[in-house]
Amino acid sequence: MGEFKVHRIRFFDYMPSAIRAMAFSTRTERLALARADGALEIFNFSDNYFQEKVLPGHDGRAVEALCWVGPRLFSAGLNGEITEYDLENLRPRYTVDAYGGPIWTIGVNSQGTLLAVGCEDGTVKMFEVLKERIQFQRNLDRQRGRIISLSWHPSGTLIAAGMMDMIRIFDAETGRATHRLVVDRGAGASKSKEVVVWSIAFLSDYTIISSDSAGKVQIWDGLNGTLIRTHLITKWDVLALSVSQDESSLVAGTSEGTVVQFQFLSSTVDRLDKDWVRTRTFKNHSHDVRALAHTETAVVSGGMDTQLVVRPLLDKVEKNTRESAIRKVSFPHRSLVCCAKKAGVLLFQFPDHLELWRLGESDGYGKPGGSLPVKRGPEKLIQLKRKGEDHICCSALSPCGGWLAYSTVTSFRLYRLLNGSISICKVSKLPKDLRPAHQLCFSTDSSKLFASSSNSSVVVVALNEPECKYLGTLKAKYGCRQPVHLLSASENGKWLATANTDCEVHVYNLDKLKLHCTVPVYGSCPTAMAIHPTTSNLVVVHADQQIFEYSLVKKEYTEWSRRLQKQGLHSLWLERDTPITHVTFNPKNPAHIIVQDLFMFCIIDKSLPLPEAKNVLYNQMTLRSLPEPDRVLHSHGFKICKDFQHLLCVSLLEDHSLVVVERPLLDIVSQLPAPVRQKKFAT
């Protein structure tokens, strides 16, 4: 595997924001997730749960609810606005003020023609969904308290709305309130303390299911307005509900961090009548569960502890398979760290600022696994605050450490770093074609900047001291509309590879500023890629963990790549649930490819045989402890290192030392607010 001097970095204080809302589209199998800082994330559940898009947050945007209308995504929040998002340009398309104060909830009818929002002023407002926009249609009967939750009946004729101490049923055609369902405050509750109906579901048989702040899940007859059954599941709030598409299962999320499942079952085998029965309790969160989605095979939950949890339902999937494993998404599926390989400087990206750090130095040599004495500690050089209210969506640092760029959805900024990155100077004269970007990348010699723009195009800019010169725009021959999320420039300055969320990989000739070739489209989204410095082979890793190597000179897959696909990757490699986020190469050994995900980095040695199905994918520490005959038996080309955990970046410097940036999950948990107190035995 080789020995490296490792810079082990743990001072990147990345802190994810709490999950506030989510919505799942059965049509596209996409999950939209909103965080407390206003950022939105789109996960493709059909592509190994890959986080394919991130829409950066905004200081004034507090999203309380999300809603899919076909392929279109809408949100509503406490700023009183409804927002539709441009998922191709990763920004809000437009906002509409509902003029009802803060909006607590949003829902769409089953026909996808009408949006309903619940407002602070006690109104349910209806908006017609048009081709390009939404248009206000009418108000339903105004109530005396705020509308906290609502749900459409599948027929589209009725709406159930949760409020303080009650549920109202509205006729969607006339706007009149037809029923008033009073919610019990619970035994021993204070008369002055109101019960908040946090979530509500309206089923096709006119059953209404509600969850409230008194810890109850209640089943109602929506036709007669009567209570059928009450399930007390916690002493705290039940904050979220979600029902399966066939309406046979229901999940409820609580302030204790538990998710409780109910199923519509017969109480005995021979009885035909069914009832909602509590069947399972899941404990995957330490804090409030604020958002839930019930897919066909799993329960998806998120909340204050910032983790997205996908919990398969074992009666819906085959046991002891990849699909039956629980998944926790704790970190973004993209890099927030940029390393200047020549300068030994790191750039950390936060939503509201950037940090520039110089790596430390050490003396002498040590044994494998040991620590070296520190000659000079790491030094924080610059903290650069963003301008405006939009959060930073991408940033880059040139390999020489002399240029820094970042972009929001509305502005782009470029800086010159001087005197060993101590002083910073903004470049004021920028080409007009250099617009806000989705992704940024510098050339290896730091002479060019590449910025991905709309319609999968890339703007190329020459970096000069007085002013920067626009060189051209790289575009594919046919219309691509999806955003570019990966950029990789070759070390010789000849090639630039781009990948978008339509799984397309384009390679451009930078001498001619023209498209060189398009890599054959593979059905899984690329998660990381890089161009080999000597062979000009493009290595692409996809969300389903497959690895391809493509020769840019011959415009075909390499022999090693064909051999890899013919034999197939090891089952343990394919079962990993975190994507590869970084690819790099070892200049000392051209046969080495270094790849990294959240829990390991792996050196793939192309000169060694591929692991066969009978081989065990030992990590290097375990392999070193085996007897010599066993070590030879298990020798193969995938050298895995799991000495480091929660890896945000693994990069190789020019002096062949390795930079490893970790963010231990326990450090994030320690910064969370205290959860609700739960009484334990003998306390």
Side-chain angles (χ1 to χ4, degrees):
M1 182 174 181
E3 288 188 2
F4 298 95
K5 185 170 72 172
V6 178
H7 297 269
R8 192 171 189 176
I9 309 299
R10 286 194 171 189
F11 46 78
F12 179 26
D13 294 326
Y14 167 74
M15 188 67 194
S17 191
I19 296 172
R20 297 299 295 268
M22 63 175 66
F24 183 73
S25 170
T26 54
R27 173 179 167 181
T28 62
E29 289 195 69
R30 259 67 170 187
L31 178 85
L33 178 151
R35 295 193 179 268
D37 63 357
L40 268 67
E41 300 167 11
I42 311 294
F43 290 84
N44 187 348
F45 275 34
S46 63
D47 193 12
N48 207 17
Y49 303 92
F50 178 59
Q51 184 192 59
E52 63 179 16
K53 295 178 182 178
V54 176
L55 286 74
H58 184 276
D59 285 349
R61 187 166 67 228
V63 177
E64 279 293 315
L66 290 171
C67 180
W68 287 101
V69 182
R72 299 164 69 180
L73 181 63
F74 293 86
S75 77
L78 300 183
N79 57 1
E81 295 176 340
I82 305 168
T83 303
E84 183 179 0
Y85 294 91
D86 184 345
L87 299 181
E88 293 174 354
N89 292 310
L90 306 182
R91 60 191 301 168
R93 188 189 300 274
Y94 63 86
T95 59
V96 174
D97 198 320
Y99 294 104
I103 302 174
W104 291 91
T105 181
I106 187 171
V108 65
N109 63 355
S110 56
Q111 295 79 20
T113 56
L114 290 173
L115 276 176
V117 295
C119 301
E120 179 79 13
D121 67 353
T123 58
V124 174
K125 297 178 182 288
M126 309 269 280
F127 289 82
E128 185 180 0
V129 181
L130 305 177
K131 188 175 182 181
E132 296 295 330
R133 295 183 68 84
I134 59 171
Q135 181 175 295
F136 176 74
Q137 189 189 65
R138 64 185 304 176
N139 286 334
L140 305 190
D141 277 357
R142 187 168 183 168
Q143 305 301 306
R144 299 184 70 176
R146 64 171 69 110
I147 307 295
I148 299 294
S149 55
L150 63 80
S151 177
W152 285 82
H153 186 267
S155 67
T157 58
L158 298 173
I159 294 176
M163 304 170 60
M164 298 291 189
D165 290 332
M166 73 175 77
I167 298 167
R168 281 285 194 179
I169 302 176
F170 296 92
D171 187 316
E173 295 176 0
T174 65
R176 300 291 184 186
T178 59
H179 289 86
R180 177 175 176 264
L181 286 61
V182 179
V183 179
D184 181 23
R185 296 187 179 184
S190 171
K191 292 183 179 181
S192 61
K193 187 177 181 180
E194 294 178 307
V195 175
V196 183
V197 181
W198 285 118
S199 189
I200 198 165
F202 209 158
L203 308 186
S204 54
D205 63 356
Y206 294 93
T207 298
I208 295 173
I209 304 173
S210 67
S211 68
D212 56 48
S213 58
K216 305 189 302 296
V217 172
Q218 294 188 304
I219 318 296
W220 305 81
D221 183 336
L223 290 175
N224 300 319
T226 55
L227 178 65
I228 299 173
R229 190 174 299 278
T230 296
H231 296 274
L232 183 65
I233 63 173
T234 178
K235 293 187 291 184
W236 308 95
D237 295 46
V238 185
L239 297 168
L241 289 176
S242 184
V243 182
S244 62
Q245 195 173 14
D246 62 2
E247 298 183 354
S248 65
S249 176
L250 161 81
V251 286
T254 74
S255 290
E256 293 176 306
T258 57
V259 175
V260 180
Q261 184 185 14
F262 295 85
Q263 290 177 279
F264 197 48
L265 304 169
S266 298
S267 55
T268 56
V269 177
D270 55 341
R271 290 186 61 176
L272 297 177
D273 58 320
K274 293 184 176 182
D275 198 359
W276 285 99
V277 181
R278 178 175 175 172
T279 53
R280 297 186 184 98
T281 300
F282 309 123
K283 175 67 174 173
N284 299 315
H285 297 274
S286 59
H287 291 65
D288 301 14
V289 177
R290 292 292 305 267
L292 284 172
H294 197 318
T295 70
E296 189 177 340
T297 59
V299 176
V300 189
S301 56
M304 283 290 294
D305 65 2
T306 75
Q307 293 191 83
L308 177 69
V309 177
V310 182
R311 178 79 185 229
L313 297 171
L314 297 182
D315 55 340
K316 300 289 186 180
V317 296
E318 188 178 344
K319 294 181 180 179
N320 301 321
T321 62
R322 182 182 180 183
E323 287 73 27
S324 65
I326 186 171
R327 291 171 180 262
K328 291 188 177 183
V329 181
S330 308
F331 295 92
H333 292 170
R334 61 194 176 108
S335 181
L336 300 176
V337 180
C338 189
C339 180
K341 298 182 179 181
K342 298 177 181 178
V345 177
L346 291 177
L347 178 69
F348 298 147
Q349 178 183 315
F350 296 85
D352 58 346
H353 72 278
L354 301 171
E355 288 183 4
L356 202 66
W357 288 76
R358 179 183 287 130
L359 294 170
E361 293 180 359
S362 63
D363 281 331
Y365 297 90
K367 296 179 181 179
S371 298
L372 297 176
V374 176
K375 178 182 175 183
R376 177 178 58 80
E379 180 185 3
K380 185 176 181 180
L381 302 175
I382 291 172
Q383 179 168 314
L384 180 65
K385 293 185 178 180
R386 61 165 164 80
K387 303 293 182 183
E389 295 183 327
D390 292 303
H391 293 184
I392 297 171
C393 61
C394 61
S395 60
L397 181 66
S398 65
C400 69
W403 297 91
L404 185 153
Y406 79 85
S407 180
T408 67
V409 295
T410 55
S411 67
F412 176 88
R413 294 181 184 272
L414 178 65
Y415 295 89
R416 187 75 169 109
L417 302 172
L418 306 169
N419 302 324
S421 305
I422 301 275
S423 64
I424 187 167
C425 176
K426 181 187 173 186
V427 179
S428 56
K429 292 185 178 180
L430 294 175
K432 293 181 180 179
D433 299 86
L434 195 56
R435 300 186 182 95
H438 304 312
Q439 197 63 246
L440 296 169
C441 173
F442 286 94
S443 61
T444 306
D445 62 359
S446 304
S447 65
K448 294 185 182 73
L449 171 67
F450 309 106
S452 69
S453 187
S454 58
N455 299 327
S456 288
S457 62
V458 179
V459 176
V460 184
V461 174
L463 301 174
N464 298 313
E465 204 63 56
E467 61 179 285
C468 299
K469 183 182 177 183
Y470 168 73
L471 296 180
T473 301
L474 306 173
K475 291 183 180 179
K477 291 181 180 178
Y478 54 93
C480 301
R481 301 192 61 86
Q482 292 300 321
V484 168
H485 67 291
L486 294 176
L487 287 173
S488 180
S490 64
E491 198 162 297
N492 60 10
K494 187 176 181 180
W495 311 110
L496 178 74
T498 70
N500 62 30
T501 51
D502 261 347
C503 307
E504 298 169 333
V505 178
H506 302 291
V507 182
Y508 298 93
N509 186 317
L510 294 176
D511 295 333
K512 300 177 181 179
L513 293 179
K514 289 184 178 180
L515 180 69
H516 173 69
C517 66
T518 299
V519 178
V521 175
Y522 179 67
S524 180
C525 194
T527 64
M529 65 181 184
I531 301 172
H532 197 283
T534 55
T535 63
S536 291
N537 292 338
L538 175 67
V539 176
V540 185
V541 188
H542 295 264
D544 63 355
Q545 312 296 355
Q546 292 290 343
I547 303 170
F548 294 91
E549 187 182 45
Y550 189 83
S551 172
L552 302 185
V553 177
K554 297 180 180 180
K555 297 184 181 180
E556 62 180 21
Y557 288 116
T558 64
E559 184 60 36
W560 178 83
S561 183
R562 295 176 190 275
R563 192 167 72 249
L564 178 68
Q565 291 303 313
K566 185 178 180 179
Q567 178 175 324
L569 285 159
H570 198 282
S571 60
L572 293 177
W573 178 271
L574 296 174
E575 287 170 7
R576 292 168 26 256
D577 60 1
T578 55
I580 296 294
T581 54
H582 191 67
V583 177
T584 189
F585 305 96
N586 184 0
K588 284 186 174 181
N589 194 329
H592 284 184
I593 304 170
I594 304 174
V595 298
Q596 165 245 321
D597 70 5
L598 188 63
F599 296 107
M600 64 93 201
F601 74 88
C602 175
I603 296 180
I604 302 173
D605 191 339
K606 296 195 298 178
S607 64
L608 292 178
L610 297 168
E612 297 179 1
K614 62 183 180 181
N615 289 120
V616 179
L617 281 184
Y618 285 117
N619 67 68
Q620 291 304 293
M621 293 298 288
T622 307
L623 198 62
R624 201 176 290 132
S625 65
L626 295 177
E628 183 67 26
D630 291 346
R631 207 182 311 166
V632 174
L633 183 66
H634 291 291
S635 178
H636 51 73
F638 280 59
K639 310 297 183 182
I640 295 173
C641 175
K642 292 187 176 181
D643 294 354
F644 312 100
Q645 291 291 295
H646 303 114
L647 296 169
L648 298 186
C649 178
V650 174
S651 188
L652 204 60
L653 297 181
E654 201 173 48
D655 64 358
H656 304 296
S657 60
L658 207 61
V659 176
V660 174
V661 180
E662 297 175 283
R663 181 59 170 155
L665 196 59
L666 287 176
D667 290 355
I668 292 176
V669 172
S670 66
Q671 295 183 36
L672 295 173
V676 295
R677 186 180 180 276
Q678 300 177 44
K679 181 174 173 57
K680 296 181 180 180
F681 178 72
T683 61

